[in-house]
Amino acid sequence: MARPIKRALLSVSDKNGLENFARQLTDYGVEILSTGGTFKALEAAGIPVVEVSAHTGFPEMMDGRVKTLHPMIHGGILAVRDNVSHAAAMDEHAIAPIDLVVVNLYPFEETIAKEDATRDECVEQIDIGGPSMVRSAAKNHKFVSIVTEPEQYPEVLGELQKHEGGISSAFRRALAQKAFARTAAYDSAIATWMFEADRDASDEGAPKFSESFSLAGTKVLDLRYGENPHQAAAFYRTEPAPEPCVAHSEVLNGKALSFNNLVDLDAAHALAAEFEEPFVAVIKHTNPCGAATGGTIAEALERAWSGDPLSAFGSVLAFTRPVDMASAEFLVEGNRFVEAIVAPDFDEDAFEYLTQKPRWGKNVRLLACGAFGPSTRSRTAPEVKKLIGGFLVQDRDLTAETAFEAVSEAKATEAQLAELAFANRIAKHVKSNAIVLTNDSTVVGVGAGQMSRVDSVRLAAHKAGDRAAGSVLASDAFFPFPDGVEAAIDAGIAAIVQPGGSVRDDDVVAAANAKNIPMVFSGARHFKH
């Protein structure tokens, strides 16, 4: 049933649409209560409004920290209207019912996103009275309507018009669900910030993970389907953005993003963020089928595409520089097809070229994420992996080894060491068991996700073909037997980097020595599951 709205409490930090919304409430005869800045804004607009302190008979105090935490407010919100004892308590204490609560919370997420915000400033933006009123109203949604975002104002006004000044029970339930989701996201943002801030402030490195960990997001869009057409899916975004990333990118063009697009774009961006220089990653099913640096971003693209042109069809790309005209022409004129591109930005002529060409214009998804690289990555934001019935939390793998231990008789040259460092960074982003072959800072072969490491070596060599000769190899984990190294040497590998740590390290190194191949240990495993 629709319940009439006779009294509303408005207390908002976001004043967008407030005046029009409040004015239309008064047109339906609604009495408005308000607090602090909201009261002043409504009064200045000439809208009839009663200050909460006048309603409660108790002044605001402690810089506004205490104003709505009062029985006259929460009694008016929480009272079960058809409960005799509740009604008697309201009569006894002259508590007036509140039928509509409009609250958006202190801008905590926006505050912590500011680089210069102090801890005290962030703490001060932790809302107490707001979430209390939101939860009270949402709990009592049988009788009370709760509005938490300015975007909901038109819907509420539509309901009032439809039900002649009332709001239906179905709409109240929907509002309540959104309200609880909002407070959950808000509390999650606070808990996550405190967790990350404490980790960042630790003098002895990251402390032990806390006993509880919360994660919440706001739905960005419903997706056509998930990994497969029979799976429903949606995309949620956490706030605030910890760094330039795919989830917070601006979508400039193209068809609606799919579940797999987003997963692949995130993988592409994560790999590209390893590099400061012009670099392009070509990703297929979260694995790089091509990646390269270059003197220009167009050169990096051309070299990256050469890694595995067949697999690159239908891939997603990540650029560390704005996409320029030369890059756009390489893709379009070469009749190359990609699903999506994420880059810091797109040059105006390149964007126009990509969006006006047949097969590209309405199809390719173009995302701008802003400048990014190793220095922009958040070292305190953890990585979360979902399980059925739980989830795992870990530090992100942001290490990049550049100093290696020489373990073979043959010593790698300076050029080989630089190439091994490049290959090692790529291997971090390949599904285990991971083997990466590179030459001249260009990926030429990848073996990903195989159940045995020797099979990954053989797959990488097969992908590289003739280009395997003279390339270097990076392995994400140690070689358990000499057979993987022997297969690499047979393919023409010139140098190898691996973490080391196997009980058969001596046998593995001996296999390299037998063919005079330099081998170095990185000392760090980089499994990716």
Side-chain angles (χ1 to χ4, degrees):
M1 68 178 269
R3 297 195 64 87
I5 304 298
K6 297 181 179 179
R7 184 174 294 104
L9 191 156
L10 279 59
S11 179
V12 297
S13 57
D14 185 348
K15 306 296 191 295
N16 286 321
L18 174 66
E19 181 180 335
N20 177 65
F21 181 65
R23 199 174 299 280
Q24 292 199 53
L25 288 180
T26 61
D27 289 343
Y28 285 101
V30 177
E31 178 188 356
I32 296 178
L33 309 177
S34 194
T35 63
T38 307
F39 170 80
K40 292 176 182 176
L42 295 177
E43 186 178 48
I47 297 171
V49 58
V50 177
E51 194 166 13
V52 160
S53 59
H55 180 75
T56 62
F58 204 86
E60 291 186 16
M61 61 176 59
M62 302 177 185
D63 299 319
R65 283 191 171 198
V66 179
K67 51 191 173 188
T68 58
L69 298 172
H70 192 283
M72 292 292 288
I73 299 300
H74 285 274
I77 297 171
L78 281 167
V80 177
R81 310 296 198 258
D82 56 7
N83 182 298
V84 175
S85 65
H86 287 206
M90 293 178 77
D91 288 341
E92 180 181 354
H93 299 286
I95 296 174
I98 297 172
D99 309 305
L100 172 66
V101 176
V102 182
V103 171
N104 49 66
L105 309 178
Y106 289 176
F108 176 79
E109 295 98 331
E110 291 86 346
T111 302
I112 62 174
K114 298 176 182 176
E115 292 186 5
D116 58 348
T118 67
R119 187 181 182 94
D120 284 347
E121 288 171 337
C122 295
V123 169
E124 201 57 37
Q125 291 303 317
I126 298 175
D127 203 338
I128 302 301
S132 298
M133 289 189 291
V134 169
R135 291 178 62 83
S136 293
K139 174 178 179 176
N140 204 26
H141 62 268
K142 182 177 179 181
F143 304 100
V144 181
S145 301
I146 173 63
V147 176
T148 54
E149 305 290 346
E151 291 76 16
Q152 295 171 328
Y153 295 167
E155 294 179 277
V156 174
L157 293 173
E159 275 281 307
L160 292 173
Q161 182 179 27
K162 180 179 178 181
H163 299 288
E164 299 180 344
I167 292 181
S168 67
S169 58
F171 192 67
R172 290 197 303 276
R173 288 195 301 271
L175 289 172
Q177 188 278 325
K178 292 177 182 178
F180 280 122
R182 175 65 187 120
T183 57
Y186 193 75
D187 287 340
S188 176
I190 296 168
T192 300
W193 170 76
M194 296 191 75
F195 168 77
E196 293 178 3
D198 287 343
R199 282 163 60 85
D200 195 37
S202 173
D203 293 331
E204 301 178 1
K208 183 179 72 172
F209 287 95
S210 57
E211 294 301 316
S212 62
F213 184 89
S214 57
L215 185 67
T218 302
K219 188 166 72 173
V220 178
L221 70 149
D222 289 306
L223 303 172
R224 287 179 60 199
Y225 51 80
E227 285 181 289
N228 299 289
H230 60 275
Q231 295 172 269
F235 168 36
Y236 289 80
R237 176 186 292 144
T238 58
E239 300 287 351
E243 61 192 69
C245 57
V246 169
H248 287 263
S249 292
E250 181 183 3
V251 180
L252 303 177
N253 183 74
K255 295 189 296 186
L257 288 162
S258 73
F259 184 99
N260 293 331
N261 289 157
L262 288 162
V263 172
D264 283 341
L265 282 164
D266 188 63
H269 185 275
L271 173 53
E274 294 277 352
F275 297 89
E276 291 283 4
E277 59 265 48
F279 174 88
V280 173
V282 183
I283 298 291
K284 198 71 173 289
H285 304 306
T286 73
N287 284 304
C289 58
T293 60
T296 65
I297 199 65
E299 181 187 354
L301 169 61
E302 186 171 354
R303 294 172 65 182
W305 195 273
S306 73
D308 189 348
L310 181 64
S311 298
F313 180 86
S315 60
V316 305
L317 310 179
F319 289 60
T320 61
R321 298 288 188 276
V323 177
D324 60 9
M325 189 62 175
S327 299
E329 289 176 337
F330 173 82
L331 292 170
V332 175
E333 301 303 328
N335 200 29
R336 297 172 176 90
F337 168 69
V338 301
E339 292 279 358
I341 301 172
V342 61
D345 207 344
F346 292 77
D347 288 353
E348 187 174 342
D349 56 350
F351 180 79
E352 184 176 353
Y353 191 73
L354 289 171
T355 55
Q356 292 185 1
K357 286 293 182 178
R359 294 185 63 224
W360 285 79
K362 295 182 179 179
N363 296 318
V364 65
R365 295 98 168 163
L366 305 180
L367 285 73
C369 63
F372 68 95
S375 63
T376 67
R377 297 179 297 181
S378 170
R379 296 190 173 273
T380 57
E383 182 176 271
V384 180
K385 290 184 180 290
K386 183 73 175 68
L387 307 178
I388 301 299
F391 55 87
L392 305 170
V393 182
Q394 66 174 355
D395 289 331
R396 296 166 67 188
D397 186 1
L398 300 181
T399 61
E401 301 79 35
T402 55
F404 302 129
E405 177 190 359
V407 295
S408 59
E409 294 172 358
K411 303 307 176 187
T413 66
E414 288 299 317
Q416 285 176 327
L417 288 172
E419 191 68 33
L420 289 167
F422 173 80
N424 195 48
R425 278 194 280 178
I426 303 295
K428 285 172 53 180
H429 298 268
V430 176
K431 289 293 182 69
S432 301
N433 289 313
I435 297 293
V436 173
L437 309 184
T438 76
N439 198 347
D440 195 20
S441 296
T442 302
V443 170
V444 297
V446 174
Q450 302 304 300
M451 283 64 75
S452 70
R453 193 156 298 277
V454 66
D455 283 342
S456 286
V457 173
R458 290 169 180 154
L459 178 57
H462 171 72
K463 285 286 188 181
D466 294 342
R467 295 175 300 168
S471 67
V472 306
L473 179 152
S475 175
D476 67 341
F478 63 63
F479 285 96
F481 303 100
D483 55 358
V485 172
E486 291 164 349
I489 293 170
D490 289 343
I493 301 302
I496 297 172
V497 60
Q498 58 135 325
S502 168
V503 295
R504 295 184 179 85
D505 274 350
D506 290 345
D507 295 338
V508 171
V509 174
N513 288 336
K515 298 294 183 177
N516 203 36
I517 297 297
M519 177 179 288
V520 298
F521 284 177
S522 68
R525 189 183 74 184
H526 290 291
F527 272 161
K528 181 177 175 63
H529 286 87

